[in-house]
Amino acid sequence: MSARGPAQSACGEPEPEPGNGEPGVPEPEPESVPEPESEPESSGPGEPGWGAPRELLFVLAEDATAAGAALDVIGQWAQVTARLPPRLALVVVPAGRLADAAAVPGVLGVFATDVPAELAATLDPRERLFVDGWLARAVAKPPRSFEGRPWDEPT
């Protein structure tokens, strides 16, 4: 009840006080549910705490049929974001499925940061360019001299 009297509905009837519809009965307190802890954010795959999902480099079998079959299996629970047939692909993989992805027949390797030198030596020039492009995405951009200034500010 307020200082002006009981609250009234649009049709003029008194509204029940807060609670379960009965005057003077308070509503029960909701149970406290702990919030799930989230992973810390970071800017790239080379940093600790880089959360799931992750875009990883997959090196597949030379055989196009085996490589395609491997990506079909992985594609059921991951997202292929780029592909250079027959043997390279970038795939966004949930953190919990990383071991599953590496165990798929036709997958020769899964890499988060760099390709080992012995494998890099087997890449042809277009495959090397694909890998270098993927690696370049994780490198921080240099600061720009006018970054953050209004676009119409005189120079």
Side-chain angles (χ1 to χ4, degrees):
M1 180 186 288
S2 70
R4 294 180 283 157
Q8 293 186 352
S9 67
C11 62
E13 295 180 19
E15 289 188 12
E17 292 185 20
N20 61 1
E22 297 178 25
V25 178
E27 287 191 34
E29 292 286 324
E31 290 186 28
S32 163
V33 178
E35 301 253 343
E37 291 184 25
S38 61
E39 294 187 32
E41 292 183 27
S42 65
S43 62
E47 295 186 20
W50 194 64
R54 301 174 65 162
E55 185 177 58
L56 305 171
L57 175 69
F58 277 61
V59 178
L60 307 167
E62 293 261 357
D63 176 35
T65 305
L71 286 180
D72 287 344
V73 170
I74 294 166
Q76 294 175 6
W77 38 264
Q79 179 184 7
V80 178
T81 57
R83 186 166 181 207
L84 182 63
R87 67 182 195 149
L88 296 181
L90 297 180
V91 183
V92 177
V93 180
R97 301 300 303 258
L98 189 55
D100 297 337
V104 171
V107 174
L108 302 179
V110 178
F111 305 98
T113 54
D114 202 0
V115 178
E118 59 275 0
L119 182 59
T122 68
L123 299 175
D124 67 34
R126 64 188 189 100
E127 290 173 331
R128 188 68 226 173
L129 185 60
F130 184 87
V131 171
D132 289 345
W134 169 68
L135 292 171
R137 290 173 23 183
V139 175
K141 293 181 181 178
R144 298 179 182 152
S145 57
F146 294 102
E147 188 73 34
R149 291 187 177 171
W151 64 272
D152 59 349
E153 181 179 286
T155 55

